[in-house]
Amino acid sequence: MRGAAVCVATLIAGGVPLDKSLKIIGGQSKNTTLKNHTLTLSSRIEEGFSFTEALKEFPSSFDQLFVSLISAGEISGELSGILEKIALHLEQRSKIQQEILGALIYPLVLIILALVIVGLLLIFVVPSVIEQFDTLNQELPLLTQWLIGLSGFIAGPAVWVFLFLLIVSFFSAQFFGIKESKKILDRILLRTPLLNNFLVNANLSRFSSSLSILRNSNVPVLQALSISVSTITNNELRNNIKEALTTVSEGDSIAKSLRKVHHIPPLVVQMIDSGEKSGELDEMLKKSSEYLDQEFQQSTKLAMNLLEPIVVVIMGSIVASIVVAVLLPLIQMNNISLIG
């Protein structure tokens, strides 16, 4: 999408009509979905539809932010400039997503491998070793008893318990509805320490960036706020901000309204307030988005750097506990034989 927006902007700036620009992009695209969309858009524009009207046929591919920006570009006659802004916005979002995904891959692989190894130990190795202690006419150490119980649970009813939980989760989602279930999950995540900082920073960055672009494109304030709020993915945070911003239509400033949402960092509210008073709201929104992005990336890198040694320590402790639990009866037997 980003590459297509850049190409269309370049062609339009070079004097190529919009319908022909889209047809050129569609003709050389190897992405089937992009190709079909661009060719359909080109046909609609040739039929007399505006670019904005044509985009509304594909709500799953072009969100409200994209459509509103294109509409502003058509009204102002600066469509190529708007497309360049959209491309830059998409590039920044994509870069952050790739950084997060790249940071998560190694810890996730490490966790999965560690869990598989521990599971195999408990299912296949531990039972065969523990069998050697069945002939002992004495009570096994507490740690060894726990290990035997855990091994028996994982090798036996654990699968059924897991399936039961899956079934309960499925029917709960059906009973409450997927949207309602997501609302409950979003509420829990927003109130979970540490995780809520990641969620708030990521969502507020998206909100600030969208609002900055819309205001810079001369989209009316109330419409820009409505569209920007819709980019927030967490239902609980979105509803809180949406409710707080209702007073803007009554004459309150954006900063004053956002102060009511305790999840929003005071520095971000202060930056928005400064932008409103100086008449440079779009610029301050852009800076607040960059600040939140930086905070989010630093927090993510710190968390990922901490996660790796934590996983190693935890899994090492689990394996060490298994070894100790197996060795304790042997030590006990050796002590009894020495006493005897």
Side-chain angles (χ1 to χ4, degrees):
M1 185 67 70
R2 183 190 67 82
V6 173
C7 291
V8 173
T10 303
L11 289 170
I12 293 174
V16 180
L18 178 59
D19 56 337
K20 290 185 179 179
S21 299
L22 291 168
K23 190 172 291 184
I24 292 170
I25 300 301
Q28 66 181 15
S29 177
K30 295 180 181 180
N31 185 307
T32 305
T33 303
L34 179 61
K35 182 174 184 176
N36 292 335
H37 283 0
T38 50
L39 291 178
T40 302
L41 289 172
S42 177
S43 299
R44 292 291 181 272
I45 292 170
E46 288 177 349
E47 292 169 6
F49 289 91
S50 69
F51 195 14
T52 304
E53 292 171 335
L55 287 171
K56 290 179 180 178
E57 292 189 24
F58 306 101
S60 59
S61 299
F62 305 103
D63 59 19
Q64 193 179 4
L65 173 63
F66 191 100
V67 174
S68 297
L69 287 171
I70 294 298
S71 176
E74 286 188 303
I75 293 171
S76 64
E78 298 178 357
L79 185 57
S80 62
I82 292 293
L83 284 168
E84 288 177 0
K85 290 179 183 178
I86 292 173
L88 181 61
H89 175 72
L90 293 173
E91 184 178 16
Q92 290 173 340
R93 296 296 105 194
S94 177
K95 182 181 178 182
I96 293 172
Q97 290 173 359
Q98 288 174 359
E99 287 179 353
I100 296 170
L101 183 61
L104 282 173
I105 287 175
Y106 181 72
L108 285 175
V109 170
L110 187 63
I111 291 171
I112 292 170
L113 285 176
L115 290 175
V116 169
I117 291 170
V118 171
L120 291 175
L121 282 174
L122 291 172
I123 294 172
F124 297 106
V125 178
V126 171
S128 61
V129 175
I130 295 299
E131 285 178 3
Q132 309 302 317
F133 306 135
D134 289 342
T135 56
L136 294 177
N137 295 320
Q138 60 184 26
E139 187 178 358
L140 294 173
L142 185 60
L143 183 60
T144 306
Q145 293 179 33
W146 287 350
L147 180 64
I148 294 172
L150 180 60
S151 177
F153 173 74
I154 292 177
V159 175
W160 299 108
V161 171
F162 180 70
L163 288 174
F164 173 75
L165 291 174
L166 281 180
I167 292 170
V168 169
S169 300
F170 174 77
F171 282 107
S172 297
Q174 293 297 316
F175 179 77
F176 292 108
I178 295 176
K179 288 185 178 179
E180 191 62 32
S181 300
K182 186 179 184 303
K183 287 180 181 179
I184 295 171
L185 179 61
D186 285 345
R187 191 176 299 117
I188 293 171
L189 291 175
L190 194 61
R191 296 176 183 178
T192 303
L194 298 180
L195 276 179
N196 55 5
N197 290 332
F198 290 99
L199 285 170
V200 169
N201 287 342
N203 279 284
L204 285 181
S205 173
R206 193 180 298 112
F207 168 79
S208 299
S209 178
S210 302
L211 186 57
S212 173
I213 295 172
L214 288 165
R215 289 299 301 137
N216 191 257
S217 303
N218 296 318
V219 175
V221 174
L222 294 180
Q223 183 184 352
L225 287 171
S226 176
I227 295 168
S228 300
V229 168
S230 68
T231 64
I232 299 173
T233 56
N234 185 280
N235 283 291
E236 182 79 1
L237 182 62
R238 182 173 64 245
N239 290 336
N240 290 343
I241 293 177
K242 188 175 182 179
E243 184 179 352
L245 289 173
T246 54
T247 57
V248 174
S249 60
E250 299 170 4
D252 281 349
S253 66
I254 297 173
K256 183 178 178 181
S257 300
L258 291 178
R259 280 196 181 96
K260 303 171 187 175
V261 185
H262 69 274
H263 295 293
I264 300 179
L267 178 60
V268 174
V269 176
Q270 185 59 45
M271 292 175 74
I272 293 173
D273 184 48
S274 175
E276 286 184 298
K277 290 178 179 177
S278 64
E280 297 180 354
L281 178 61
D282 54 337
E283 184 63 27
M284 294 306 293
L285 284 167
K286 182 181 178 182
K287 288 182 179 179
S288 67
S289 176
E290 291 172 353
Y291 163 75
L292 290 165
D293 274 342
Q294 187 177 10
E295 286 290 305
F296 178 74
Q297 291 178 52
Q298 289 178 349
S299 300
T300 303
K301 287 178 181 178
L302 179 61
M304 293 304 103
N305 289 335
L306 289 174
L307 183 60
E308 182 182 338
I310 288 173
V311 170
V312 171
V313 170
I314 291 174
M315 291 306 168
S317 301
I318 293 173
V319 173
S321 299
I322 293 173
V323 172
V324 171
V326 172
L327 289 177
L328 279 176
L330 297 175
I331 295 172
Q332 191 177 64
M333 289 172 59
N334 185 52
N335 291 336
I336 292 172
S337 62
L338 289 173
I339 294 172

